[in-house]
């Protein structure tokens, strides 16, 4: 039964144009083709990326953050309280006033003590600037390396300039070594992001990030198996371009280099809009939608690939909307946080409070709320969309 399902899944009429079979993509006559079995190597490389990331964040990003004046935030920990912890982990991190009164009676604590316990407990879970800086620096290094490497691999290819050549001789296009490593490293990196997403800084677009990472891996895997490698490398390169600026803007924002952050934010917005809302849909999707049917009749794999690209484009539009909202607030001086930040990041920080008077002072802040005073660099708590990926936003 398993073999029957396997044969049905890999039926050549599904994934390949008419009159072509998987036998036509066997290595011969000096041609080397991509095979599904090659993708197994991305699994160990995925864990290698996680290890390299850990070493990088610990021994490179952390000292770099220290040199920029970023330190690990020290906050008061909530005292152990099984009753409050159970409510926090199973029901809500922000209890209603009626629940606070009930928890006060159950735990034999005053209402103020219960409220303070929840604030401190939320503060423990809230990611600090150092954690964000380390994550952004790791992604910046990878995206920069991937973009430079991808550009070096594509700059001398004729189909980099004329997209009609992407489909010349398809699918009998021999795989290049540079294409092999470009794919393997990108897929391994996105696999590592999918694994680490549970303990990375969470945003409001957490579900969109998951969808993006899965769509990226599916697209890369599919394009690899059916030899859509040329268009795949172009899509990856287009996405890497804006991701570099995104992560660098975050880094300078966390370091509170306001003018540099402002310039990078503007450049990122321009590059993102051009690459994701112009080049991607009107050049690359056009290339995959119009040119292939000039060489062979449409088939299921053709529709599947374009459908996945359209899903990514929908994510691009979603992230572009968030970016434009940030730009509007930035221009009018009202931007104090990332549009993608969770609500918990908007809450007051009572890390240094030790008593009820401090609590009131924290809330009042001499007539100005703490959130209004804390701009945290040029863009407040900036962490623009990641493949805004944004998250890569590769494909």
């Amino acid at each position: 039964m398993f073999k029957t399902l396997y044969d049905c899944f890999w039926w050549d009429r599904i994934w390949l144009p008419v009159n072509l079979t998987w036998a036509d993509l066997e290595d011969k006559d000096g041609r080397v083709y991509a095979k599904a079995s090659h993708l197994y190597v991305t699994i160990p490389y995925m864990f290698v990326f996680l290890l390299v990331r850990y070493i990088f964040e610990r021994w490179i990003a952390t000292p770099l953050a220290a040199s920029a004046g970023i330190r690990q935030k020290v906050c008061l920990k909530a005292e152990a309280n099984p009753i409050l912890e159970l409510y926090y982990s199973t029901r809500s991190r922000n209890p209603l006033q009626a629940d606070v009164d009930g928890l006060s009676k159950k735990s034999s604590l005053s209402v103020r003590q219960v409220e303070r316990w929840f604030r401190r407990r939320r503060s423990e879970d809230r990611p600090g600037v150092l954690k964000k800086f380390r994550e952004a620096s790791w992604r910046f290094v990878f995206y920069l390396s991937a973009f430079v490497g991808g550009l070096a691999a594509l700059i001398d290819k004729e189909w980099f300039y004329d997209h009609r050549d992407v489909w010349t001789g398809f699918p009998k296009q021999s795989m290049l070594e540079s294409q092999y490593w470009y794919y393997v490293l990108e897929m391994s990196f996105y696999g590592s992001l999918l694994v680490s997403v549970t303990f990375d800084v969470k945003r409001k677009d957490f579900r969109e990030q998951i969808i993006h990472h899965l769509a990226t891996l599916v697209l890369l895997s599919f394009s690899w198996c059916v030899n859509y490698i040329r268009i795949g490398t172009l899509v990856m390169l287009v996405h890497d371009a804006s991701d570099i600026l995104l992560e660098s803007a975050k880094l300078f924002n966390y370091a509170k280099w306001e003018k540099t952050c402002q310039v990078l934010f503007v450049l990122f917005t321009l590059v993102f809009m051009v690459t994701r809302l112009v080049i991607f849909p009107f050049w690359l999707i056009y290339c995959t939608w119009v040119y292939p049917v000039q060489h062979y009749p449409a088939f299921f794999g053709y529709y599947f690939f374009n459908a996945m690209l359209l899903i990514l484009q929908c994510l691009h539009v979603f992230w572009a909307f968030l970016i434009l909202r940030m730009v509007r607030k930035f221009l009018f001086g009202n931007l104090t946080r990332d549009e993608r930040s969770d609500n918990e990041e908007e809450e007051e920080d009572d890390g240094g409070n030790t008593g009820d008077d401090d609590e009131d002072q924290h809330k009042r802040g001499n007539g100005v709320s703490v959130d209004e005073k804390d701009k945290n660099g040029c863009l407040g708590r900036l962490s623009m969309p990641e493949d805004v990926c944004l998250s890569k936003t590769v494909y």
Side-chain angles (χ1 to χ4, degrees), residues 174-353:
S174 184
M175 178 182 63
L176 304 176
E177 185 177 1
S178 58
Q179 294 173 328
Y180 172 83
W181 284 110
Y182 197 9
Y183 258 78
V184 167
L185 293 178
E186 288 276 0
M187 291 192 66
S188 301
F189 176 74
Y190 276 99
S192 69
L193 288 184
L194 194 61
V195 171
S196 65
V197 73
T198 55
F199 54 83
D200 285 343
V201 176
K202 290 182 174 60
R203 304 290 179 187
K204 286 182 179 179
D205 65 344
F206 175 79
R207 286 175 294 183
E208 287 81 5
Q209 289 187 52
I210 295 295
I211 295 172
H212 174 270
H213 296 337
L214 290 175
T216 297
L217 291 173
V218 170
L219 271 171
L220 289 174
S221 301
F222 172 77
S223 62
W224 177 268
C225 293
V226 299
N227 215 23
Y228 275 26
I229 295 179
R230 290 185 178 181
I231 188 63
T233 53
L234 290 176
V235 173
M236 288 189 289
L237 186 70
V238 165
H239 283 78
D240 285 331
S242 60
D243 291 332
I244 298 171
L245 295 170
L246 166 70
E247 302 304 333
S248 60
K250 292 180 184 180
L251 293 176
F252 285 105
N253 176 67
Y254 299 145
K256 298 185 179 180
W257 289 35
E258 298 186 9
K259 292 184 178 179
T260 305
C261 178
Q262 290 172 354
V263 172
L264 289 172
F265 177 64
V266 172
L267 290 176
F268 161 73
T269 302
L270 293 175
V271 173
F272 181 86
M273 297 303 169
V274 171
T275 56
R276 306 301 176 84
L277 301 184
V278 179
I279 295 178
F280 185 75
F282 296 110
W283 289 6
L284 299 186
I285 294 183
Y286 182 86
C287 175
T288 63
W289 189 266
V290 176
Y291 296 152
V293 294
Q294 297 176 359
H295 297 270
Y296 50 79
F299 60 103
F300 174 80
Y302 163 84
Y303 292 113
F304 175 80
F305 187 73
N306 281 285
M308 297 301 293
L309 290 180
L310 290 175
I311 290 176
L312 282 181
Q313 185 56 35
C314 291
L315 292 174
H316 294 166
V317 173
F318 168 76
W319 281 315
F321 170 74
L322 296 183
I323 293 173
L324 291 177
R325 287 179 60 182
M326 294 174 67
V327 170
R328 179 177 61 84
K329 293 184 178 182
F330 174 67
L331 293 177
F332 291 98
N334 295 322
L335 181 59
T336 59
R337 66 178 183 88
D338 178 10
E339 291 292 338
R340 298 167 55 246
S341 300
D342 288 334
N343 290 335
E344 69 181 67
E345 296 188 21
E346 302 173 31
E347 297 169 5
E348 68 276 13
D349 174 12
D350 70 329
N353 295 350

Side-chain angles (χ1 to χ4, degrees), residues 71-77 123 128 349-353:
R71 298 288 189 274
Q72 181 67 50
K73 179 182 176 181
V74 178
C75 60
L76 295 176
K77 291 187 176 182
S123 181
D349 174 12
D350 70 329
N353 295 350

Side-chain angles (χ1 to χ4, degrees), residues 19-84:
N19 298 328
L20 284 173
T21 65
W22 293 112
D24 295 318
L25 297 182
E26 294 293 333
D27 297 346
K28 57 184 176 182
D29 300 330
R31 294 180 180 271
V32 178
Y33 297 104
K35 297 176 178 61
S37 58
H38 293 162
L39 299 180
Y40 294 144
V41 74
T42 61
I43 298 177
Y45 276 119
M46 176 180 68
F47 291 101
V48 170
F49 264 106
L50 291 173
L51 177 61
V52 173
R53 173 182 173 176
Y54 173 79
I55 295 173
F56 174 86
E57 290 186 355
R58 184 179 180 88
W59 300 107
I60 298 179
T62 300
L64 184 62
S67 66
I70 300 173
R71 298 288 189 274
Q72 181 67 50
K73 179 182 176 181
V74 178
C75 60
L76 295 176
K77 291 187 176 182
E79 297 180 359
N81 191 308
I83 296 176
L84 301 183

